[in-house]
Amino acid sequence: MSDSPTPQDATPTPQEAITGYARQARWAAAPEAPEPGAPMALPLPERVAARTRGTLGAEEWRTAEAAWSDLADARYRACVQRAPLGPDAPPVRVGVKDTVDVAGFPTRLGLRGHRHHARASNPAIAALPGALAAVTAKVVTTELNIGVGSECVNPYAPRIDPGGSSTGTAVSVAAGICDLGLGTDVLGSVRWPAGQCGTVGLRMTQRTSLLEGVFPLSPPMDALGWVTRSAADLAYLWPLLGLDRLGARQPAGEGPYRIGVVANVDGPDGTCGPVMRRALEAACGFLEASGQRLDPVRVDDLWALRGPAWELCARQAWDAYQLWRPWVPADLHETTRGALEVGAKVQDDRYAWILERLAHTRATVEGDFDTAGVDAWLLPLEPGRAAGPRRRDARVSTIPALGNRLRTARVPTRRSPASPGCPRSPCRSPGTSAARRCACSSSPAATTNRC
């Protein structure tokens, strides 16, 4: 005896089956980008105030947040794992790069064949006030911080690759899935994607105490970094969430500030193209309009260390690979292997010299500011040409091969709380009139239209 098929059990045609699945999965019939509604469209301070006062209820906020993040993550692919807001539904959603441990989330290191489950969160995450902020997503990173290819989509400029390695940190914030993103930054890994996605990236000063639970790439240069949708959001969250306690070791001085515009970005060594030059000039214009004093400066010795900084990162990644590969036996992407192979070519004597130059730079860089008579440096993170359309056939590493033109530098400083990478907030530091003793960046990749 067998059951007879009912009309409900009738086998659908392939067209009917995929159409029904698409409807259930809420695939958009047209490629238009979704638009957030209330309360998602509220400015962040207003949303926090509404949740605090109770005028925005927990259930209403949870429902709206889940609906929007489902749609946005399906489109922009920023998250590797999401968690729903809990009963208290804090108003600030935090996304954390998948090389940073968060209790309750697996850490995958950007690998398909690895995961571990941390019992404790990174100190910066553990210190967040639970009534105001909650980690709602682990976000995409490139393999081990050094591979290429994330499959994320840039919300503001879909044809521009969002960059990396803290790719999902920037994309999740630009897409409105998270309000604050935590990433890591050695030589631009937070600031690059922040600039590409039209958001604000702030690299913290390198502090070993903040790196517990962070996959090490280059311990002398590893640092945490934050991403928000605007400089105003970062300035608002800075004291609200206690981020100020993690950063600056001394208070910023009183403005107006003296800003040194680094002249090395021009000429054959800087290759600052016309689009980047216009972005830099726009940043200078904003600073001058706000009353800051701008003067040209040269940082020849530091500029010459851009290549050695990449070599140091590559060599330490290679050395670490020899230690961790028994625990992480994953097949690596060819771009990740390529980055490691660059490090294998850095000889011991060269490596020792670079470490010595790093120690010397950190000991003397404060004097470089005093000698030049400036409080901050202003320069693009990427002095080369502006980002172009992504190429699917590209097979390059985040770490350039030895001998290639190295267009990017992160200048280590001691006084600076971080290095802003924001095309919309030239040289602004959270809670102050301008960035204090910092290396700043500007990017033309920003746009005001979500795509």
Side-chain angles (χ1 to χ4, degrees):
M1 180 177 179
S2 61
D3 293 334
S4 299
T6 65
Q8 291 81 5
D9 295 327
T11 302
T13 67
Q15 182 178 0
E16 291 170 339
I18 194 64
T19 301
Y21 184 87
R23 187 183 305 110
Q24 186 172 356
R26 292 184 292 171
W27 289 352
E32 290 85 5
E35 288 294 335
M40 300 304 303
L42 283 175
L44 183 58
E46 293 183 23
R47 185 205 306 157
V48 173
R51 282 293 298 121
T52 302
R53 293 193 304 263
T55 54
L56 173 59
E59 183 60 28
E60 180 186 0
W61 168 229
R62 276 197 304 271
T63 301
E65 194 285 326
W68 168 256
S69 293
D70 284 350
L71 287 173
D73 190 46
R75 185 178 185 88
Y76 303 118
R77 304 191 291 270
C79 305
V80 293
Q81 182 167 334
R82 288 172 43 219
L85 288 168
D88 295 333
V92 180
R93 302 158 300 157
V94 182
V96 180
K97 184 178 183 178
D98 200 24
T99 56
V100 180
D101 286 345
V102 178
F105 288 85
T107 301
R108 299 171 179 84
L109 306 177
L111 299 167
R112 289 173 295 176
H114 169 80
R115 66 186 59 210
H116 66 263
H117 295 264
R119 296 183 179 180
S121 297
N122 167 266
I125 293 300
L128 293 174
L132 292 171
V135 176
T136 56
K138 266 303 194 69
V139 296
V140 170
T141 178
T142 59
E143 280 190 352
L144 303 170
N145 297 316
I146 57 177
V148 169
S150 65
E151 301 301 325
C152 293
V153 176
N154 188 331
Y156 286 99
R159 296 187 65 224
I160 301 297
D161 190 276
S165 61
S166 300
T167 315
T169 304
V171 173
S172 65
V173 170
I177 299 167
C178 299
D179 306 297
L180 176 68
L182 177 65
T184 62
D185 189 314
V186 174
L187 292 162
S189 289
V190 161
R191 293 162 289 163
W192 252 321
Q196 301 287 72
C197 292
T199 56
V200 176
L202 186 70
R203 182 190 190 276
M204 304 283 283
T205 297
Q206 196 274 346
R207 294 178 63 185
T208 301
S209 61
L210 294 178
L211 298 176
E212 184 176 346
V214 174
F215 180 75
L217 178 59
S218 179
M221 299 191 292
D222 285 336
L224 298 179
W226 302 101
V227 175
T228 58
R229 276 187 290 282
S230 67
D233 279 0
L234 185 56
Y236 172 71
L237 294 175
W238 198 249
L240 182 74
L241 301 184
L243 306 183
D244 51 347
R245 296 192 296 271
L246 306 173
R249 299 174 185 175
Q250 66 181 52
E254 294 296 325
Y257 296 95
R258 301 161 299 170
I259 310 298
V261 182
V262 176
N264 301 76
V265 303
D266 289 312
D269 293 329
T271 64
C272 191
V275 175
M276 187 61 70
R277 164 51 62 187
R278 289 195 294 271
L280 186 59
E281 289 171 352
C284 291
F286 282 119
L287 286 167
E288 289 182 321
S290 68
Q292 317 310 317
R293 172 185 164 187
L294 274 63
D295 293 300
V297 298
R298 294 194 63 86
V299 290
D300 295 334
D301 291 343
L302 287 168
W303 198 257
L305 293 175
R306 295 176 302 144
W310 284 106
E311 292 178 72
L312 175 59
C313 179
R315 170 60 190 264
Q316 293 189 323
W318 170 256
D319 288 348
Y321 172 61
Q322 311 310 310
L323 298 174
W324 57 249
R325 62 180 176 177
W327 293 302
V328 189
D331 292 331
L332 300 180
H333 191 271
E334 61 183 287
T335 60
T336 309
R337 296 195 303 271
L340 294 170
E341 289 164 3
V342 172
K345 297 175 183 177
V346 179
Q347 301 299 313
D348 290 346
D349 57 346
R350 175 72 171 174
Y351 179 41
W353 177 82
I354 297 171
L355 287 172
E356 184 277 326
R357 296 309 303 164
L358 174 63
H360 174 78
T361 297
R362 285 187 167 159
T364 60
V365 71
E366 190 169 321
D368 294 338
F369 285 98
D370 294 332
T371 300
V374 298
D375 300 300
W377 289 327
L378 175 66
L379 70 159
L381 175 66
E382 170 56 274
R385 63 184 178 85
R390 67 170 78 212
R391 291 176 51 206
R392 292 190 178 274
D393 61 341
R395 288 293 182 267
V396 295
S397 168
T398 54
I399 297 179
L402 302 184
N404 282 3
R405 178 185 293 273
L406 298 173
R407 301 173 299 170
T408 305
R410 180 256 163 189
V411 180
T413 65
R414 185 166 70 84
R415 288 193 188 179
S416 65
S419 300
C422 171
R424 299 179 186 167
S425 57
C427 215
R428 296 289 174 178
S429 180
T432 67
S433 299
R436 177 66 172 169
R437 302 260 178 179
C438 68
C440 304
S441 66
S442 58
S443 167
T447 175
T448 57
N449 298 317
R450 178 177 280 113
C451 299

